[in-house]
Amino acid sequence: MTASKREYRGRLAPSPTGLLHVGHARTFWIAAQRAKESKGTLVLRNEDLDPQRCRPKFADTMLEDLSWLGLRWDEGPDCGGPCAPYSQSERKARYLQAWRRLRDGGFIYPCTCSRKDLALAATAPNDADDEPIYPGRCRSREDAAKFAEPAGVNWRFRVPDGEEVRFQDARLGPQHFIAGTDFGDFIVWRRDDVPAYQLAVVVDDAEMQITEVVRGADLLKSTARQLLLYRALGLTPPGFYHCDLVVDERGTRLAKRHDALSIRQLRDRGWTPAQVIAGLGALPR
Ligand SMILES: [Zn+2]
């Protein structure tokens, strides 16, 4: 069965690390429009895996702000659904199962490099926004099978150096990245026992049968990483639609500004949902 023949299933995947700002709200609004245009189902997934950065109070505010904006979802932590639970913090057993499959398949290795080791050896990435390419000190380790649990070390995915990863973006057209050059061995599980974003979203998007992922263009390269994970785990990847990022008049990405305008602030200043939506819609996709 091809993705295009299946019923459209999209998702909103906010992370409760602060107040919802207009940049992210716009991506969610586009995701909701895409699901509506396809008469599909929209899933809300609470990406609250990182206990250092996520706060339950932000999760509540986030849902409130999204519904204030008029966004409606069919499945989510507040309304349930066939793929429950919809909060990543309650899905750890699933990520652990994927970690075991990657370990058993020889796709990942334990990495004990310190931050200092990495800072000394890493090559700076071409793109200032991206993580440095891992220099490979631990990549030939063969003791992965000795670990019954991931905690205590970082786990990295061994990327196939030189392989071109291609995909078709529904908005931007053909994309390609070279493994080992555009990105290196990336972390799938952190030493503090938190599954990495890359692993968690692949496991969830596959299990929740998402057919199209709508997110910001800052994640294009992450899509290439994730496609390698889909293949390693024997899962079918969804389609992708990457939106432009909202920038201010100086070209600074809104998401990077600490004073980024939040939906809450606009509400407090008396903006109506219609005014906010009109503002979001006027920005280029
Ligand atoms: Zn290492």
Side-chain angles (χ1 to χ4, degrees):
M1 194 159 55
T2 60
S4 58
K5 293 272 165 61
R6 287 190 284 164
E7 181 220 357
Y8 185 101
R9 282 178 65 84
R11 45 57 153 203
L12 308 174
S15 203
T17 55
L19 290 173
L20 184 69
H21 66 71
V22 294
H24 284 144
R26 185 168 163 279
T27 303
F28 297 140
W29 182 75
I30 294 169
Q33 290 306 113
R34 302 267 310 162
K36 198 185 267 182
E37 283 160 16
S38 310
K39 296 189 170 53
T41 298
L42 193 60
V43 173
L44 190 138
R45 186 169 71 227
N46 175 22
E47 300 208 331
D48 61 345
L49 262 186
D50 192 340
Q52 310 291 333
R53 300 178 60 226
C54 298
R55 298 282 175 273
K57 65 166 182 175
F58 286 133
D60 297 338
T61 315
M62 187 173 80
L63 297 192
E64 245 178 74
D65 285 348
L66 288 170
S67 43
W68 178 81
L69 273 173
L71 301 192
R72 298 290 176 263
W73 45 92
D74 308 290
E75 299 171 23
D78 53 337
C79 54
C83 304
Y86 291 91
S87 286
Q88 288 190 324
S89 58
E90 296 167 37
R91 301 177 61 80
K92 216 164 157 188
R94 292 161 170 89
Y95 311 135
L96 205 50
Q97 207 175 15
W99 172 81
R100 286 199 199 99
R101 272 162 76 184
L102 293 172
R103 178 202 60 190
D104 295 348
F107 293 104
I108 54 173
Y109 58 88
C111 171
T112 46
C113 296
S114 66
R115 252 171 238 261
K116 203 174 149 199
D117 294 334
L118 295 178
L120 291 174
T123 348
N126 309 327
D127 174 352
D129 278 348
D130 210 11
E131 63 183 48
I133 298 207
Y134 177 65
R137 204 174 69 122
C138 303
R139 107 182 295 222
S140 56
R141 284 174 67 146
E142 284 170 0
D143 56 342
K146 289 183 189 147
F147 289 78
E149 301 294 332
V153 293
N154 286 316
W155 287 84
R156 289 182 185 276
F157 185 88
R158 195 181 284 110
V159 305
D161 279 338
E163 183 181 326
E164 189 174 26
V165 182
R166 297 169 164 275
F167 62 97
Q168 184 73 19
D169 184 90
R171 192 179 70 90
L172 299 166
Q175 302 293 312
H176 59 99
F177 294 97
I178 310 284
T181 304
D182 289 323
F183 57 92
D185 292 357
F186 55 91
I187 292 183
V188 296
W189 205 284
R190 285 172 13 191
R191 83 177 86 210
D192 58 354
D193 206 21
V194 177
Y197 165 78
Q198 312 288 0
L199 182 66
V201 294
V202 164
V203 169
D204 289 345
D205 285 335
E207 200 188 294
M208 294 179 178
Q209 295 176 47
I210 301 303
T211 59
E212 184 179 75
V213 169
V214 176
R215 59 187 175 198
D218 54 331
L219 289 168
L220 274 167
K221 210 183 274 186
S222 273
T223 297
R225 294 180 177 101
Q226 289 168 26
L227 287 170
L228 294 174
L229 279 177
Y230 277 103
R231 187 173 70 189
L233 290 166
L235 300 170
T236 308
F240 293 93
Y241 182 105
H242 290 85
C243 314
D244 279 337
L245 300 168
V246 182
V247 293
D248 67 11
E249 59 286 355
R250 290 197 192 116
T252 307
R253 263 168 55 194
L254 213 61
K256 296 257 162 188
R257 282 176 44 173
H258 66 277
D259 63 339
L261 216 48
S262 70
I263 297 298
R264 207 35 80 113
Q265 279 171 291
L266 295 176
R267 267 174 90 163
D268 292 346
R269 287 184 199 169
W271 286 52
T272 65
Q275 285 171 323
V276 177
I277 294 292
L280 299 176
L283 297 160
R285 275 200 186 189

